[in-house]
Amino acid sequence: MLNLFGNMHPVVQALLATCFTWGVTSLGAAAVFLSRQPSRKTLDGMLGFAGGVMIAASYWSLLAPAIELSQGQALPSWLPPAIGFLLGGLFLRGLDLLLPHLHRDLPRSRAEGIKTHWPRSTLFVLAVTLHNIPEGLAVGVAFGAAGAGLEATGLAAAIALALGIGLQNFPEGVAVSMPLRRDGLSRRKSFWYGQLSGFVEVVAGVIGAAAVLHARPILPYALAFAAGAMIFVVIEEVVPETQQGDFGDFATLCAMLGFVAMMTLDVGLG
């Protein structure tokens, strides 16, 4: 099975991998059909775990290979990763300013981005969609880098990253559909919007893989770009959301657990 996957084109690999991560998001969103909904503590812990996975993936799967690929080039080895990392954060900041969205448990008046009269549920789903863009991009860039055949990257590392992103997408799916249900949406609509928030990963993943394959010199920048985008999301959205209630310490411990889980996956498989 692995050999069959390895013989596929990197863009196809990225497509299948991000379909997997989208599927796990859908599985998490399906929790809305359960009779008992998770508590706020559980949701904060799940989101903290997701943040820990993203932090670990940003270094082990993206920044470290970017630094290694930059060695022996005309520019100092730290410069391309630094530029890519900062550009990733600026890109997400630009989307943050433009895309209307609303974070979990905040009043409608705290919506960010361009002012609209869209429903609260739509703004919340857009916030999570914004969150998922760098995750899909990271998976796509990783498979594109593996397809480039360079020593610093490999198929096993890309698969490890996809597994890690998928692992943290389950709690993300739960954390999307449950608040929508509490806001009064039906179970079906809550599930629909919850799984839909993960579809952007498929689009971003295909774009990331194709961009790397057609412009290999940008590979260190692209890897670091995805890392910077993910770190921006963790610091600007994930961490603050887990610290707003009474379970900040629990969420922090879950974040550390997520970090260790992703590090183990990447080191063990990559």
Side-chain angles (χ1 to χ4, degrees):
M1 185 69 179
L2 185 59
N3 290 335
L4 177 63
F5 188 76
N7 291 330
M8 295 178 180
H9 191 276
V11 173
V12 177
Q13 292 173 344
L15 173 63
L16 294 177
T18 48
C19 281
F20 162 74
T21 62
W22 174 33
V24 179
T25 301
S26 302
L27 188 62
V32 76
F33 293 110
L34 300 177
S35 58
R36 183 178 179 181
Q37 297 189 13
S39 64
R40 173 61 188 264
K41 181 179 181 180
T42 301
L43 290 175
D44 283 349
M46 286 180 169
L47 198 58
F49 182 89
V53 169
M54 293 174 71
I55 293 172
S58 296
Y59 175 73
W60 297 102
S61 299
L62 300 169
L63 270 180
I67 294 170
E68 186 174 346
L69 289 171
S70 300
Q71 294 176 354
Q73 305 299 321
L75 296 174
S77 60
W78 56 266
L79 187 56
I83 292 174
F85 187 84
L86 293 175
L87 287 177
L90 290 173
F91 172 73
L92 259 292
R93 176 55 178 161
L95 289 181
D96 202 42
L97 291 172
L98 294 174
L99 185 69
H101 62 283
L102 178 67
H103 298 299
R104 181 168 61 110
D105 297 330
L106 292 181
R108 179 68 172 74
S109 59
R110 295 281 300 277
E112 301 178 36
I114 296 174
K115 301 301 179 183
T116 71
H117 297 291
W118 293 346
R120 173 188 171 86
S121 58
T122 301
L123 294 175
F124 174 62
V125 171
L126 286 175
V128 181
T129 301
L130 182 67
H131 181 160
N132 286 335
I133 291 174
E135 296 175 11
L137 185 64
V139 174
V141 168
F143 278 98
L150 301 174
E151 292 184 2
T153 60
L155 181 60
I159 292 174
L161 176 59
L163 289 174
I165 295 297
L167 183 67
Q168 62 99 46
N169 272 4
F170 181 82
E172 280 188 358
V174 177
V176 179
S177 62
M178 291 303 182
L180 292 175
R181 176 62 177 161
R182 287 202 304 266
D183 284 349
L185 270 69
S186 67
R187 294 182 189 275
R188 287 186 178 182
K189 284 188 175 180
S190 298
F191 168 74
W192 171 254
Y193 287 125
Q195 64 82 28
L196 191 62
S197 68
F199 180 71
V200 69
E201 292 188 3
V202 180
V203 178
V206 170
I207 292 174
V212 168
L213 286 174
H214 288 86
R216 291 190 184 185
I218 71 167
L219 185 51
Y221 299 91
L223 288 165
F225 181 95
M230 285 213 291
I231 291 297
F232 181 92
V233 168
V234 172
I235 297 175
E236 202 267 344
E237 297 180 19
V238 178
V239 171
E241 286 189 27
T242 63
Q243 303 299 312
Q244 289 178 5
D246 299 326
F247 309 106
D249 290 340
F250 176 71
T252 301
L253 291 174
C254 289
M256 297 181 69
L257 181 62
F259 184 97
V260 171
M262 183 65 227
M263 180 183 68
T264 302
L265 270 176
D266 195 279
V267 175
L269 296 180

